[in-house]
Amino acid sequence: MSIVKTSFSQIKKRKIATPKERAVSIAKDRITIILVCFAFVWAGITAGLSYVSWISDGAFKPVNRSKSYSENIIKRSDILDRNGSLLATAIPTASLCVNTKHVLDAEEARQKLKALFPELDNQRLRRAFESSSSCAMIKRHLSPEQQVRVNSLGIVGLEFLPDERRVYPVSNLAVHVVGYSDIDNNGLAGIERFMNDRLQQDLSPLELSLDLRVQTIMHRELSEAMKEFNAEAAVGLIMDIATGEVISMVSLPDFDPSKPARASDEQKFNRVTLGVYEMGSSFKIFNTALALETGEIKIGDVFETAEPIHIGGFSIKDMEKHKHSMSVSEIFIVSSNIGSAKMARKFGAKKQRAFLERLGLTEKISIELMEVGTPLLPPKGKWSDISTMTISFGHGIAVNALQLAAAAATIINDGHFVNPTLIKKTGETVKDTDAVVSPATSNAVRALMRLVVKSGTGRRANADGYMVGGKTGTADIVAKDKKYSTDARRASFVAAFPIDKPRYLVFAFLDNPKRSAKTFGYATAGWTVAPAVRNIISQAAPMLGVLPIPEEELKARDDKIIAPVKHSLSSE
């Protein structure tokens, strides 16, 4: 132990003997001083960062330009269905920019970024690195994984900025209602566009009238019908008759709203509201209602329907030739064009046009969408006798599906006008006092619609346990030579349930369904669309609180609803 103490004492007291050792000692002293100073500086920086982090709720904003940019990020509220299911929302993302003043090797940086993101445009990338901006944008909306990969490149001068991206959890399921937005979250279609200011200014969720469960059923059944009959497109909607709320709205083909640039014009086209079409015999609902409302025609009045009508070089025929005269009820149930035309000729063009105006079928319909088509119809001065007759069975006038549905709902709603909406209603809906038709006329039309499903052209829409009433509509498509095609048509079906106390209206439409052996060579609405409507009602009704009716009760209610027109069916 004494030897160790002596050696240590000798070493401690030994003086530096050479200039080299003296220089090394001075250098060490200086390094020590520098390290001590650096420690104090680092402690100050750490304290400053902690303070900034504390006053900004833990979200450190590195430089003023980032703060300025983040303050301009568009905040956008969620879109929900009527039950609170999420249809559209915004998620936090990061965008990548470059501060060229800090970049050490621009060419190397560009090459690394291009390798990581091959989709980047070379010219835009080069301009970003040549910009004098302190934050030249390179790529928007990076995922967390992409951020990690950018960081691993080790490029000085790259910065991440806080951003938001609009996402659609249900994808294409409600795309023509919800719509989509651009990269800056500005609405470009659907509710996103129509309610753009509301979605930006009020961050509370926007509740739509849609029911996602029912929307799923409608989408699936239309997709299957479209595939089965090799149709070019399909349309469907369900409306609450009391409130006008649209519970479901589907237009096919559709697309992914998160990738609108990949969608074709056909996919983006909203056939429910933007497309206007000749709807065929569905218009017989309005023709019959007007005939009865004028008082000039009674439900039991008989019209000769055995021979075609020849007028102005045209012939009005029935799909199936009838050898006997028919009452107003029979004309509706078997869907006679001849009988409908003769009824219309009796009350005339002036009354017809005025009635269609009151139903909202002559002007663009009001709904919370920008994509709304304008009806096509003869000008007032050219509403001829032949126009009156063809319009009676849905030719010579083109409207959108929503208009037709709202007008039909009005007729069976004791004549109280139905205003459709895509926004969920919370208060009680007040019915107007100026009804379009009387309750008696409404009762008669409801009875006829029930008979169409029980024994007429819409038998395949009869859902077990439900009082479904409806009307088929098949319209030939106008070909390029402006003549009606003999082998191309649009088939539609408008239905309501329960028809004696109407709560919901259903409309479905297939564009150019093809004939098949299963339908015995027919491609009309009764064969192609009516079965889809039956399937939709069977599945959706319980979700909407309408339960199946026991057989005995169903029969009793059938007898009651048919009573107002029963006397007119004696010739059947």
Side-chain angles (χ1 to χ4, degrees):
M1 180 68 74
S2 60
I3 297 174
V4 174
K5 287 183 178 180
T6 302
S7 299
F8 180 79
S9 176
Q10 290 173 348
I11 293 171
K12 187 176 180 182
K13 294 178 179 179
R14 190 168 74 117
K15 294 182 178 180
I16 298 172
T18 66
K20 181 179 180 181
E21 289 175 330
R22 185 184 298 274
V24 170
S25 178
I26 293 171
K28 287 182 177 179
D29 291 341
R30 289 177 176 174
I31 291 172
T32 300
I33 292 170
I34 291 171
L35 290 174
V36 171
C37 292
F38 182 80
F40 279 108
V41 173
W42 181 254
I45 293 173
T46 302
L49 291 176
S50 299
Y51 175 74
V52 172
S53 178
W54 176 74
I55 65 171
S56 59
D57 295 326
F60 173 61
K61 297 178 175 61
V63 286
N64 286 336
R65 61 176 174 275
S66 296
K67 181 178 179 182
S68 174
Y69 187 88
S70 65
E71 286 176 348
N72 291 328
I73 293 175
I74 298 173
K75 301 295 182 181
R76 200 169 182 84
S77 62
D78 292 343
I79 300 176
L80 310 177
D81 87 330
R82 66 185 303 107
N83 300 311
S85 296
L86 197 60
L87 302 177
T89 189
I91 60 171
T93 63
S95 292
L96 177 65
C97 73
V98 59
N99 186 337
T100 55
K101 295 178 182 178
H102 298 158
V103 176
L104 301 178
D105 189 333
E107 183 59 32
E108 179 187 12
R110 284 198 301 269
Q111 290 178 3
K112 287 183 177 180
L113 287 172
K114 182 65 177 176
L116 183 59
F117 303 116
E119 70 276 12
L120 291 177
D121 181 76
N122 285 321
Q123 291 184 354
R124 293 183 64 183
L125 188 58
R126 182 174 295 278
R127 284 196 299 269
F129 276 88
E130 292 175 351
S131 171
S132 59
S133 170
S134 60
C135 190
M137 190 59 61
I138 294 175
K139 184 175 176 61
R140 298 286 301 277
H141 302 312
L142 275 69
S143 67
E145 182 182 1
Q146 289 173 325
Q147 288 181 255
V148 171
R149 290 181 179 179
V150 170
N151 274 326
S152 67
L153 296 178
I155 301 173
V156 179
L158 295 182
E159 296 184 10
F160 295 109
L161 301 176
D163 208 342
E164 287 187 5
R165 183 174 187 173
R166 200 68 166 164
V167 294
Y168 303 94
V170 299
S171 187
N172 60 318
L173 196 57
V175 62
H176 288 102
V177 176
V178 177
Y180 56 93
S181 301
D182 64 15
I183 196 169
D184 293 313
N185 291 344
N186 295 306
L188 297 180
I191 288 289
E192 290 275 35
R193 181 183 178 193
F194 189 90
M195 304 292 287
N196 191 58
D197 291 345
R198 154 66 175 86
L199 293 168
Q200 290 179 358
Q201 296 168 8
D202 182 354
L203 294 184
S204 64
L206 177 63
E207 295 180 288
L208 301 188
S209 58
L210 291 186
D211 186 320
L212 191 56
R213 303 168 304 167
V214 178
Q215 182 80 356
T216 301
I217 293 168
M218 177 69 76
H219 194 280
R220 181 178 62 244
E221 293 300 327
L222 286 182
S223 296
E224 291 179 0
M226 189 174 163
K227 182 178 179 180
E228 180 180 358
F229 297 105
N230 195 25
E232 296 173 9
V235 160
L237 66 91
I238 297 179
M239 181 187 297
D240 185 317
I241 294 172
T243 65
E245 292 170 289
V246 177
I247 306 299
S248 173
M249 180 187 289
V250 174
S251 175
L252 299 175
D254 54 20
F255 62 99
D256 184 347
S258 65
K259 301 172 183 176
R262 300 183 184 180
S264 66
D265 291 342
E266 283 289 299
Q267 291 172 304
K268 289 182 178 180
F269 191 79
N270 186 349
R271 288 170 170 78
V272 181
T273 58
L274 187 55
V276 293
Y277 309 97
E278 292 185 328
M279 292 295 186
S281 293
S282 299
F283 259 68
K284 289 170 184 169
I285 294 174
F286 315 128
N287 191 66
T288 303
L290 174 56
L292 297 176
E293 192 66 16
T294 62
E296 298 176 26
I297 299 173
K298 306 296 183 183
I299 195 76
D301 288 356
V302 175
F303 292 83
E304 173 58 50
T305 54
E307 298 297 329
I309 299 173
H310 301 286
I311 181 171
F314 296 94
S315 294
I316 297 175
K317 306 175 182 178
D318 286 338
M319 183 169 293
E320 295 183 18
K321 186 176 176 60
H322 303 284
K323 298 180 179 179
H324 61 279
S325 299
M326 288 188 281
S327 67
V328 170
S329 294
E330 295 170 301
I331 288 168
F332 190 93
I333 294 167
V334 304
S335 201
S336 169
N337 293 341
I338 298 170
S340 298
K342 288 186 174 181
M343 289 162 59
R345 188 162 56 183
K346 189 168 183 179
F347 54 69
K350 187 176 180 179
K351 289 182 179 179
Q352 184 186 59
R353 167 124 193 171
F355 188 68
L356 297 182
E357 285 179 355
R358 293 191 68 194
L359 286 171
L361 290 168
T362 61
E363 301 290 339
K364 185 183 290 189
I365 195 168
S366 176
I367 190 71
E368 296 88 357
L369 296 173
M370 303 295 286
E371 302 82 24
V372 179
T374 302
L376 301 176
L377 60 156
K380 277 189 176 181
K382 296 184 178 180
W383 200 290
S384 62
D385 287 343
I386 190 168
S387 295
T388 303
M389 287 190 282
T390 59
I391 287 172
S392 74
F393 53 87
H395 282 70
I397 184 171
V399 299
N400 67 41
L402 187 64
Q403 279 184 296
L404 181 89
T410 297
I411 295 296
I412 62 175
N413 188 34
D414 284 344
H416 296 291
F417 195 81
V418 176
N419 287 298
T421 180
L422 289 167
I423 307 301
K424 180 180 178 180
K425 289 188 175 180
T426 54
E428 185 177 349
T429 300
V430 179
K431 290 185 177 181
D432 57 53
T433 55
D434 184 21
V436 179
V437 297
S438 66
T441 296
S442 188
N443 280 335
V445 174
R446 291 198 295 261
L448 295 178
M449 289 176 69
R450 178 57 178 158
L451 288 168
V452 166
V453 173
K454 280 182 64 69
S455 57
T457 57
R459 292 187 300 277
R460 292 166 188 82
N462 200 18
D464 291 342
Y466 290 97
M467 291 196 68
V468 179
K471 184 69 190 77
T472 51
T474 305
D476 295 332
I477 295 175
V478 178
K480 292 182 179 179
D481 60 0
K482 297 185 179 181
K483 294 181 179 180
Y484 286 104
S485 171
T486 57
D487 196 36
R489 71 221 41 90
R490 293 189 176 100
S492 63
F493 195 88
V494 58
F497 69 94
I499 190 62
D500 58 339
K501 300 174 183 178
R503 289 185 58 187
Y504 295 98
L505 182 134
V506 183
F507 178 82
F509 168 107
L510 288 177
D511 194 347
N512 199 16
K514 307 302 186 296
R515 307 172 191 274
S516 71
K518 184 179 178 180
T519 63
F520 303 97
Y522 292 100
T524 53
W527 286 94
T528 59
V529 185
V533 170
R534 177 193 63 221
N535 295 339
I536 291 165
I537 292 174
S538 296
Q539 297 171 70
M543 293 181 179
L544 295 171
V546 183
L547 300 179
I549 304 168
E551 188 174 347
E552 289 187 6
E553 182 183 346
L554 189 67
K555 186 179 183 304
R557 287 170 65 172
D558 266 340
D559 291 342
K560 186 175 181 180
I561 190 175
I562 294 169
V565 300
K566 190 173 183 180
H567 67 280
S568 66
L569 305 174
S570 58
S571 60
E572 285 191 320

